[in-house]
């Protein structure tokens, strides 16, 4: 999505999109609970999406969500913004702009508008995959997520007309320098 609304637009033209997931790439939630990864800071957050996962409890009784974020990721992502349009592709939806962007020093970014029912994709693909292909609308894209595999890459190759990089990030480690280097290399190759 370029700007604040509409589709990805493009039919293969335009700048590349960089789809950003929060949990996994930016918040290494799967790291050992007693061992925050180096460079990360701990934040306690109560986004509406988290509160909704605790039906029957008043918001004041919901324990805040622990989120680990690395403040170096904001400048590293902004350095890629000369080649990519950054877009949130996360179940945090607009709350990524409320809770995550300010900590990382990012501006408000466009957000992929997911359907309300998150059903598995065709042929065992991740539920986000088909929606991002539709959203990209032929524009080149890179996608950072922790739930990607070869089925998703095959689906994108068969259904997306432009170049695409589906880059899996280990949710125990989060984004690392090698991930940013791969994103930069993909953009240079476009």
């Amino acid at each position: 999505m370029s700007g604040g609304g509409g589709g990805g637009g493009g039919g293969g033209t335009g700048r590349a999109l960089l789809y950003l997931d929060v949990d996994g790439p930016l918040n290494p939630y799967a790291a050992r609970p007693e061992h925050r990864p180096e460079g990360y800071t701990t934040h306690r957050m109560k986004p509406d999406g988290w509160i909704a996962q605790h039906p029957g409890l008043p918001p004041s009784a919901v324990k805040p969500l622990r989120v680990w974020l690395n403040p170096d990721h904001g400048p590293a992502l902004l350095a890629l913004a000369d080649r990519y349009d950054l877009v949130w592709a996360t179940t945090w939806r607009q709350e990524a702009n409320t809770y995550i962007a300010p900590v990382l020093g990012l501006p408000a970014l466009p957000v992929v508008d997911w359907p309300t029912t998150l059903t598995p994709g065709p042929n065992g693909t991740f539920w986000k995959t088909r929606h991002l292909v539709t959203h990209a609308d032929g524009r080149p894209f890179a996608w950072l997520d922790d739930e990607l595999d070869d089925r998703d890459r095959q689906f994108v190759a068969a259904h997306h007309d432009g170049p695409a990089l589906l880059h899996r990030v280990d949710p125990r480690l989060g984004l690392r320098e090698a991930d940013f280097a791969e994103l930069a290399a993909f953009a240079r190759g476009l």
Side-chain angles (χ1 to χ4, degrees):
M1 184 183 305
S2 44
T13 62
R15 289 165 40 92
L17 297 160
L18 176 52
Y19 290 122
L20 302 169
D21 184 29
V22 170
D23 294 320
L26 294 172
N27 171 29
Y29 68 89
R32 292 189 321 241
E34 69 281 355
H35 182 70
R36 181 179 64 214
E38 185 176 338
Y40 285 80
T41 56
T42 302
H43 304 269
R44 303 288 179 188
M45 302 176 176
K46 278 193 181 182
D48 290 339
W50 176 247
I51 292 170
Q53 292 181 36
H54 301 84
L57 281 180
S60 61
V62 175
K63 182 179 175 183
L65 176 66
R66 183 210 70 216
V67 179
W68 285 330
L69 297 171
N70 185 331
D72 293 339
H73 287 164
L77 289 167
L78 289 173
L80 294 169
D82 64 333
R83 297 175 185 250
Y84 287 103
D85 290 334
L86 307 179
V87 180
W88 292 119
T90 174
T91 56
W92 283 71
R93 301 174 190 249
Q94 282 292 345
E95 290 187 304
N97 283 322
T98 303
Y99 291 94
I100 306 302
V103 174
L104 297 180
L106 295 173
L109 301 176
V111 177
V112 174
D113 187 23
W114 306 116
T116 54
T117 303
L118 309 179
T119 57
N123 302 320
T125 57
F126 184 33
W127 67 265
K128 291 181 182 179
T129 307
R130 67 188 182 280
H131 300 294
L132 291 184
V133 167
T134 299
H135 185 272
D137 192 23
R139 284 177 65 179
F141 71 86
W143 175 17
L144 297 173
D145 210 300
D146 61 308
E147 297 196 45
L148 299 170
D149 65 26
D150 287 336
R151 293 172 294 189
D152 301 294
R153 290 178 187 88
Q154 291 165 2
F155 182 89
V156 170
H159 296 92
H160 179 66
D161 293 333
L165 170 67
L166 279 68
H167 185 75
R168 184 185 180 279
V169 177
D170 187 330
R172 296 167 300 167
L173 303 174
L175 285 171
R176 301 170 72 91
E177 285 184 34
D179 302 310
F180 288 103
E182 187 165 347
L183 289 168
F186 176 75
R188 282 192 302 272
L190 294 175

